[in-house]
Amino acid sequence: MRIESAETVVTSPGRNFVTLRLTTADGVTGLGDATLNGRELAVASYLRDHVAPLLAGRDARNIEDTWQYLYRGAYWRRGPVTMAAIAAVDTALWDIKAKAAGMPLYQLLGGASRRGALAYGHASGRDVPELLDSVRAHLADGYCAIRVQTGVPGLDSVYGVAASGAGSGERYDYEPARRTASGPALPVEETWDTRAYLRHVPGVFEAVREEFGPELPLLHDGHHRMTPIQAAKLGKSLEPYDLFWLEDATPGEDQAALRLIRQHTTTPLAIGEVFNSVHDYTTLLSERLIDYVRSAVTHTGGVTAMKKLLDLAAVYGVRSGMHGPTDISPVGMAAALHLDLAVHNFGIQEYMRHSAETLEVFRTSYTFEEGLLHPSETPGLGVELDTEAAARFPYEPAYLPVNRLADGTVHDW
């Protein structure tokens, strides 16, 4: 089970993905997702130039040792580029081990703890009527939990609202990094107004509850845009609408902010999609300042590290809510689903459907039925990479938008 080759594949079937494919001397292959939205080539270079040369000849079965070798041996620890690269190696090794065992990965993680993983989808609209139509469409698609986002009166484009303008007038789905129509690829710049947002959002949830009743789990993402006191105000104003969670209320690096928010509202809090290490969570978990861990397998060191993080979270009664937008490739999504099925403290799984082009490149076997995701019984992760299809979609520079206040100040998004 010696690693014979490590291939880094960059492809862009509608959006950019970075995939690591490891092959053992006896021909078993494993895949890992290394996509870092808007910074994909940095991770691709890290893998090709610094990680792949270290892997040839290593025993693919020694996953923990390889993880520690790549994390501790480099001296420069953590950071999104390093952790995405380690995640790709780790996930690929778990894929190989499970294939060699002839089992789906979740069986090696302790077996199933549930029938499937409750998933939430992203409903959005430029205004409330359009949002309500989007919620109806998601319910018709089988979702049993819904994230709610809308445009804000007076703002032309709002990140997270699919029907907002994409800077060049076209619709975009979810919130991908966007390509400019001409000239160099530069981030689209959007104007933001937090006070207008805070005035608008409670009325949105009142309308959704009035239309769909009290039982439907509703989520909302603040995209790190608020100060602690603004976030506390929003959480308090949303309490009558019984949210499943309020996500990313403040910038993730300000851990103390969560203390202030907790003092003022009982709305459940989720954070962590921009984190990449268990060390980012220790204060938040030990002081019980959050209710859901939002990291992705892809950005947090892989299956090995994510399992340890979720086990630590379980000690403090905190549940999983793993990041799962379309900038997590189907490989990363499958890895999350195996963990979702196995861990005891599962909460909910974000699930955005990938495009038809993406699914030409990544052949998946996971399923979505009656609101639940299942990784399938296929040995390994249950995802295969079609390299010929991948070659048809070359990399294109693309970036997430930049938010500015009315006076031109760059703002958190």
Side-chain angles (χ1 to χ4, degrees), residues 42 54 62 85 106 173 280 291 326 329 353 389 407:
L54 306 177
N62 297 339
Y106 75 83
D173 291 318
D280 295 315
D291 302 281
T326 50
S329 86
R353 296 178 187 272
D407 67 359

Side-chain angles (χ1 to χ4, degrees), residues 9-25:
V9 178
V10 180
T11 184
S12 187
R15 64 181 312 150
N16 295 316
F17 298 107
V18 179
T19 307
L20 178 69
R21 183 167 66 174
L22 299 181
T23 305
T24 66

